């Protein structure tokens, strides 16, 4: 999503986060022919790409503050880090970006980087090693959600303009993942930071401007209304085909689809409800894509309320949920039943196995012995997510059949994150929630989700066995230890991974390069300089 307490806050509100692929979700594009319902819309000739946000990004497009979902399109196209993940594949594969090569010490404590020459920031400042320390320092000083990624940096030393060494206070096998991930430290112009520092480390300036090196420059940021970018003429890499990107905020999903269907919008990149997915799967006038991600739809159970204080009861509730039916009715064409407690494409298939057989009889037996007030439970969901409203309603029916009295309630994202670090009494007994990792390290996901202080651990459920296994696995990136942490997390009865969710996108048939522009770690987003007209 998504991490502030040493990975903390995450998701759209905020979100979180490498290696082997677990469940292989293949890249697939289909449709796009000139047949079928509707008349294909003509490609633009003015080199302006029209997209949209369904909700306002919710936070300034400042890479040291931004921690949400939809606005990744802004931050990842205006800013660049030292490393990135390869596009167009279903694994998290590190590749160079502003660093052309790197090494890590055997204990994952000292990292050296050779930097790219000939790069300019958008304010005209040349990119050199001075930017690395300035950018890391600024992230720590701002101290927002993503700050944890550089808080353990002990020193940044330069060897001339194009060589830099980063030393950590303790070994961390996830550090390179932090540098490459969509919420990782971006390089900002040291001169621009000084010039526009104000009293808030340039936070005010970076609300409506940028100081990055990316292929696009932020040209407009009107909260709740409209955002825009323009191609950076001195960009060092592949020059964008599109010279401008227009991003109005269209808060009504039907209005967004109408504009797309009429050709006013080139693509819809996120948050299409199930009903719309079905309609576009059947409509050959448009191209649809179901692209691999690290997104998962989870059920969370609150261990601090009513019958859920007993782990036996929590596990019985999990077993009463018919996961196959939930996935069938909600994620056709864009997801599959989860087999692991970790998000997809993070660990090899043999690790972190989630074995929760569907058997409502245990819950029925428990419910028959409970007093009426103990049978009443609420299922909450993020009000911005129509899929989780559907899933919550389906779970309501299944749990009611087992003898519980169940209601479904929507909560705004801000309220959901307000439960983190509380006693859980104001939260519902159950919640359905879509999340993804900040960075594709199993440690990052496990720590944020399952450790007591984690920013995605909404209900504060934890287990010493989970915490110990995560800490043991971190120095050397030990998959067996991370797997143990996941298995122990399942035992708590606090988490169930329902579905591995793809990015379902629809585009006009003339928009080319969508698959090649998509990154498995970066949901709801594309690398816009890879797009063109064809």
């Amino acid at each position: 999503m998504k991490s502030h307490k040493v990975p903390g806050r995450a998701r759209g509100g905020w979100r979180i986060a490498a290696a082997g692929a677990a469940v292989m979700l293949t890249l697939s594009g289909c449709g796009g022919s000139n047949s079928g319902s509707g008349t294909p819309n003509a490609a633009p000739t003015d080199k302006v790409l029209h997209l949209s946000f369904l909700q306002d990004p919710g936070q300034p497009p400042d890479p040291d503050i931004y921690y949400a979902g939809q606005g990744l399109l802004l931050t990842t196209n205006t800013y660049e880090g030292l490393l990135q993940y390869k596009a167009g594949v279903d694994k998290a594969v590190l590749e160079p970006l502003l660093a052309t090569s790197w090494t890590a010490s055997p204990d994952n404590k000292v990292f050296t980087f050779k930097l790219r020459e000939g790069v300019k920031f958008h304010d005209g400042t040349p990119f050199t090693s001075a930017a690395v320390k300035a950018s890391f320092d600024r992230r720590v000083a701002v101290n927002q959600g993503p700050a944890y990624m550089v808080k353990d940096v002990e020193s940044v030393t330069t060897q001339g303009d194009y060589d830099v060494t980063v030393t950590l206070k303790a070994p961390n096998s996830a550090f390179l993942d932090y540098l490459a991930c969509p919420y990782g430290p971006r390089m900002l112009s040291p001169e621009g930071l000084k010039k526009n520092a104000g009293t808030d480390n340039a936070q005010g300036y970076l609300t409506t401007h940028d100081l990055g090196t990316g292929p696009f420059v932020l040209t407009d940021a009107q909260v709740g209304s409209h955002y825009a970018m323009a191609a950076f003429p001195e960009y060092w890499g592949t020059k964008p085909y599109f010279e401008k990107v227009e991003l109005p905020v269209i808060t009504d999903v039907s209005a967004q689809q109408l504009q797309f269907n009429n050709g006013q919008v080139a693509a819809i990149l996120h948050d299409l409800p199930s009903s719309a997915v079905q309609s576009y799967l059947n409509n050959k006038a448009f191209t649809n894509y179901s692209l691999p991600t690290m997104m998962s739809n989870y059920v969370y159970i609150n261990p601090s309320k009513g019958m859920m204080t007993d782990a036996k009861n929590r596990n019985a509730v999990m077993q009463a949920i018919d996961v196959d039916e939930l996935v069938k009715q909600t994620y056709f064409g864009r997801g599959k039943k989860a087999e692991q407690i970790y998000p997809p494409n993070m660990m090899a298939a043999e690790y972190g196995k989630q074995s929760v057989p569907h058997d409502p009889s245990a819950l029925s037996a428990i419910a028959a012995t409970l007093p009426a007030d103990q049978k009443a439970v609420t299922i909450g969901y993020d009000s911005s997510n129509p899929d989780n409203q559907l899933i919550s309603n389906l779970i309501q029916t299944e749990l009611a059949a087992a003898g519980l009295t169940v209601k479904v309630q929507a909560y705004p994202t801000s309220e959901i994150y307000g439960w983190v670090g509380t006693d859980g009494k104001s939260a519902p007994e159950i919640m359905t929630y879509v999340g993804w990792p900040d960075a594709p390290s199993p440690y990052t996901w496990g720590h944020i989700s399952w450790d007591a202080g984690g920013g995605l651990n909404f209900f504060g459920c934890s287990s010493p066995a989970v915490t110990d296994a995560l800490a043991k696995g971190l120095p050397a990136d030990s998959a067996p230890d991370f797997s143990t942490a996941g298995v122990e997390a399942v035992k708590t009865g606090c988490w169930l991974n329902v579905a591995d969710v793809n990015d379902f996108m629809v585009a006009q048939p003339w928009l080319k390069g969508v698959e090649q522009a998509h990154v498995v770690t970066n949901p709801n987003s594309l690398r816009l300089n890879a797009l063109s007209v064809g």
Side-chain angles (χ1 to χ4, degrees):
M1 118 174 102
K2 152 220 150 297
S3 302
H4 47 330
K5 329 198 159 62
V6 200
R9 208 156 278 217
R11 199 281 174 206
W14 299 300
R15 300 250 185 213
I16 355 181
V23 183
M24 293 288 194
L25 299 177
T26 57
L27 296 171
S28 63
C30 55
S33 72
N34 290 346
S35 60
S37 60
T39 303
N41 298 298
T45 57
D46 58 3
K47 295 196 172 182
V48 178
L49 179 64
H50 293 271
L51 300 170
S52 65
F53 291 131
L54 183 60
Q55 301 173 351
D56 188 81
Q59 295 169 300
D62 177 335
D64 295 327
I65 295 176
Y66 186 76
Y67 215 16
Q70 297 188 30
L72 279 179
L73 197 66
L74 298 173
T75 57
T76 59
N77 283 287
T78 53
Y79 294 95
E80 296 174 314
L82 297 178
L83 309 177
Q84 67 177 5
Y85 287 106
K86 189 173 183 179
V89 297
D90 59 3
K91 298 183 184 73
V93 179
L94 284 170
E95 65 179 9
L97 192 52
L98 295 182
T100 57
S101 62
W102 64 92
T103 62
S105 64
D107 64 355
N108 286 311
K109 193 175 175 184
V110 180
F111 300 84
T112 64
F113 302 92
K114 184 163 285 297
L115 304 183
R116 190 175 300 279
E117 300 184 31
V119 176
K120 280 189 178 180
F121 286 101
H122 296 161
D123 66 353
T125 303
F127 167 67
T128 67
S129 56
V132 180
K133 179 169 172 51
S135 299
F136 283 18
D137 287 350
R138 196 258 177 178
R139 177 164 283 214
V140 171
V142 170
N143 197 28
Q144 295 287 317
Y148 76 87
M149 296 185 185
V150 295
K151 271 189 173 168
D152 284 338
V153 172
E154 183 173 74
S155 65
V156 177
T157 57
T158 60
Q159 297 84 43
D161 284 345
Y162 297 105
D163 291 276
V164 65
T165 299
V166 179
T167 302
L168 306 183
K169 297 172 185 174
N172 187 341
S173 61
F175 185 66
L176 293 176
D177 290 309
Y178 292 166
L179 297 185
C181 76
Y183 301 102
R186 309 288 97 171
M187 295 297 102
L188 295 91
S189 164
E191 294 304 314
L193 288 175
K194 279 185 207 169
K195 180 180 175 182
N196 301 287
T199 58
D200 61 359
N201 295 293
Q203 290 180 61
Y205 181 77
L206 292 181
T207 298
T208 53
H209 303 79
D210 80 85
L211 289 170
T213 62
F216 289 90
V217 177
L218 182 70
T219 56
D220 191 31
Q222 300 177 44
V223 175
S225 174
H226 183 266
Y227 296 82
M229 295 181 284
F232 179 45
E234 296 182 83
Y235 181 57
W236 63 269
T238 302
K239 303 287 191 276
Y241 169 83
F242 292 102
E243 296 172 355
K244 293 183 180 179
V245 183
E246 296 288 336
L247 285 154
V249 179
I250 305 172
T251 56
D252 181 82
V253 67
S254 298
Q256 184 187 48
Q257 290 172 51
L258 182 62
Q259 289 197 26
F260 172 74
N261 294 346
N262 291 340
Q264 297 165 267
V265 173
I268 299 177
L269 305 184
H270 52 78
D271 293 327
L272 279 166
S274 300
S275 56
V277 170
Q278 185 65 66
S279 69
Y280 287 118
L281 283 171
N282 295 330
N283 191 337
K284 299 287 191 245
F286 304 108
T287 311
N288 65 74
Y289 302 89
S290 189
L291 302 169
T293 71
M294 290 184 167
M295 285 193 291
S296 285
N297 200 330
Y298 282 87
V299 172
Y300 288 73
I301 293 187
N302 186 347
S304 301
K305 291 191 77 172
M307 65 174 288
M308 303 305 178
T309 58
D310 188 329
K312 180 185 67 167
N313 295 349
R314 296 195 297 270
N315 279 289
V317 168
M318 294 294 193
Q319 290 178 30
I321 296 172
D322 188 345
V323 173
D324 288 311
E325 190 63 24
L326 299 187
V327 175
K328 176 183 175 184
Q329 293 203 37
T330 310
Y331 287 116
F332 46 82
R334 56 187 176 129
K336 62 182 294 184
K337 178 181 177 180
E339 303 292 341
Q340 297 171 290
I341 188 64
Y342 283 95
N345 304 310
M346 179 175 283
M347 299 192 77
E350 66 267 26
Y351 294 121
K353 298 294 285 185
Q354 176 181 264
S355 181
V356 183
H358 175 50
D359 180 7
S361 64
L363 182 59
S364 296
I366 291 169
T369 68
L370 293 175
D373 64 330
Q374 290 285 299
K375 294 181 184 181
V377 301
T378 297
I379 303 174
Y381 69 93
D382 187 326
S383 57
S384 68
N385 192 305
D387 290 329
N388 270 332
Q389 180 177 11
L390 173 58
I391 280 184
S392 297
N393 288 337
L394 293 169
I395 294 175
Q396 176 188 36
T397 300
E398 293 171 357
L399 299 187
L404 299 184
T405 304
V406 188
K407 73 172 183 178
V408 172
Q409 182 173 335
Y411 295 88
T413 304
S414 57
E415 185 172 354
I416 291 172
Y417 277 90
W419 300 331
V420 176
T422 71
D423 62 7
K425 302 297 186 184
S426 63
E429 286 80 6
I430 302 170
M431 182 175 69
T432 61
Y433 188 83
V434 174
W436 64 77
D438 286 0
S441 152
Y443 171 81
T444 306
W445 179 263
H447 177 66
I448 292 173
S449 301
W450 308 325
D451 274 344
L456 261 197
N457 194 344
F458 300 108
F459 300 145
C461 186
S462 194
S463 156
V466 172
T467 300
D468 290 348
L470 288 171
K472 187 179 177 184
L474 177 61
D477 192 26
S478 167
D481 288 317
F482 294 144
S483 183
T484 297
V487 171
E488 293 296 329
V490 174
K491 290 179 184 177
T492 67
C494 291
W495 299 279
L496 176 69
N497 189 358
V498 172
D500 297 336
V501 184
N502 287 12
D503 257 343
F504 185 84
M505 300 180 176
V506 291
Q508 304 294 346
W510 51 258
L511 186 65
K512 303 304 178 187
V514 171
E515 291 171 314
Q516 295 76 21
H518 185 266
V519 187
V520 67
T521 56
N522 303 16
N524 303 333
S525 184
L526 295 172
R527 288 186 179 148
L528 298 179
N529 63 323
L531 300 178
S532 61
V533 167

